[in-house]
Amino acid sequence: VQLVESGGGLVQPGKSLKLSCSASGFTFSNYGMHWIRQAPGKGLDWVAYIGSGSGTVYADAVKGRFTISRDNAKNTLYLQLNSLKSEDTAIYYCARGDWYFDFWGPGTMVTVSS
Amino acid sequence: DIVLTQSPTTLSVTPGETVSLSCRASHSIGTNLHWYQQKTIESPRLLIKSASQSISGIPSRFSASGSGTDFTLNINNVEFDDVSSYFCQQTQSWPRTFGGGTKLELK
């Protein structure tokens, strides 16, 4: 199993960014997937979930601004980040699992700053 | 939201000691509680699932117990490699939440 995030970077407040998570080594379409973030020096903060049937759940802090999606043909998970705020600055991890998170990617850093 | 409170925040131990880390839930969560280890500059890895179930490839010195609102992660014969932060996480309800973590240091 391998998960690799990409798409992070430096972005101004109010702007947008799209993260990707490329999956391999398992049948991607069979699993729910999550995005979890970690601000510098802080703990883990769950962001969003998409099920194998594409149902979604979001944390209140990102609801209406972030959109999780998946492309099973490309074995790829996405997170569209809109209206970014300084408090969204974090490492963003994708993780596999409908319950516990049994595999995690190395993460991609998103920095929101003017 | 279910709040998970971990204690202590930091734990300083001598190699070879046995330690217990606590995670308390604000509401009963059955055994829907999982433990993760995160070493510095690494992503977290699953240590224990469903309160007490072991994970393939995780050393047997890691064990856990609990149900309802009180949970414990035990590390027997702590080794240098165990220097990490440890997080609990619940899957009883949405949103999924994590505890604030316990940082394990060696004396």
Side-chain angles (χ1 to χ4, degrees):
Chain A
V1 173
Q2 190 170 19
L3 300 171
V4 180
E5 304 90 342
S6 61
L10 173 64
V11 61
Q12 293 178 331
K15 299 296 187 181
S16 299
L17 206 60
K18 188 170 186 176
L19 308 182
S20 299
C21 169
S22 178
S24 59
F26 65 103
T27 304
F28 178 71
S29 59
N30 287 351
Y31 288 85
M33 298 292 296
H34 298 258
W35 288 98
I36 298 121
R37 65 185 179 182
Q38 187 170 35
K42 302 296 185 182
L44 299 168
D45 183 30
W46 174 81
V47 173
Y49 163 80
I50 185 166
S52 57
S54 293
T56 59
V57 188
Y58 295 92
D60 284 347
V62 307
K63 201 174 296 182
R65 298 190 300 123
F66 292 7
T67 302
I68 189 172
S69 61
R70 64 191 301 159
D71 184 334
N72 290 336
K74 294 183 178 180
N75 291 335
T76 303
L77 174 72
Y78 301 102
L79 186 68
Q80 177 69 45
L81 294 69
N82 296 334
S83 303
L84 280 161
K85 306 175 182 180
S86 59
E87 52 262 43
D88 296 319
T89 293
I91 298 171
Y92 284 73
Y93 300 102
C94 63
R96 186 184 84 165
D98 287 286
W99 294 96
Y100 46 84
F101 309 144
D102 59 356
F103 289 96
W104 297 61
T108 187
M109 182 71 202
V110 173
T111 303
V112 184
S113 175
S114 54
Chain B
D1 297 4
I2 294 175
V3 176
L4 299 177
T5 302
Q6 291 188 242
S7 61
T9 303
T10 305
L11 189 56
S12 186
V13 301
T14 302
E17 276 189 58
T18 292
V19 299
S20 293
L21 284 59
S22 173
C23 176
R24 286 191 169 176
S26 60
H27 301 80
S28 179
I29 57 173
T31 57
N32 295 309
L33 189 284
H34 320 289
W35 290 94
Y36 300 86
Q37 177 192 53
Q38 185 180 30
K39 298 183 180 181
T40 305
I41 317 179
E42 291 187 11
S43 53
R45 71 164 176 169
L46 181 65
L47 272 185
I48 299 285
K49 64 180 181 181
S50 303
S52 62
Q53 295 182 18
S54 59
I55 299 298
S56 175
I58 300 299
S60 59
R61 63 180 182 278
F62 292 94
S63 63
S65 62
S67 66
T69 59
D70 289 337
F71 301 87
T72 302
L73 174 69
N74 299 300
I75 311 174
N76 294 324
N77 299 316
V78 170
E79 299 183 1
F80 288 105
D81 189 54
D82 299 335
V83 170
S84 302
S85 291
Y86 294 86
F87 296 94
C88 57
Q89 178 239 341
Q90 63 82 24
T91 51
Q92 172 71 18
S93 66
W94 300 100
R96 303 312 196 210
T97 50
F98 290 89
T102 292
K103 187 173 183 179
L104 186 68
E105 303 175 338
L106 292 184
K107 291 179 181 175

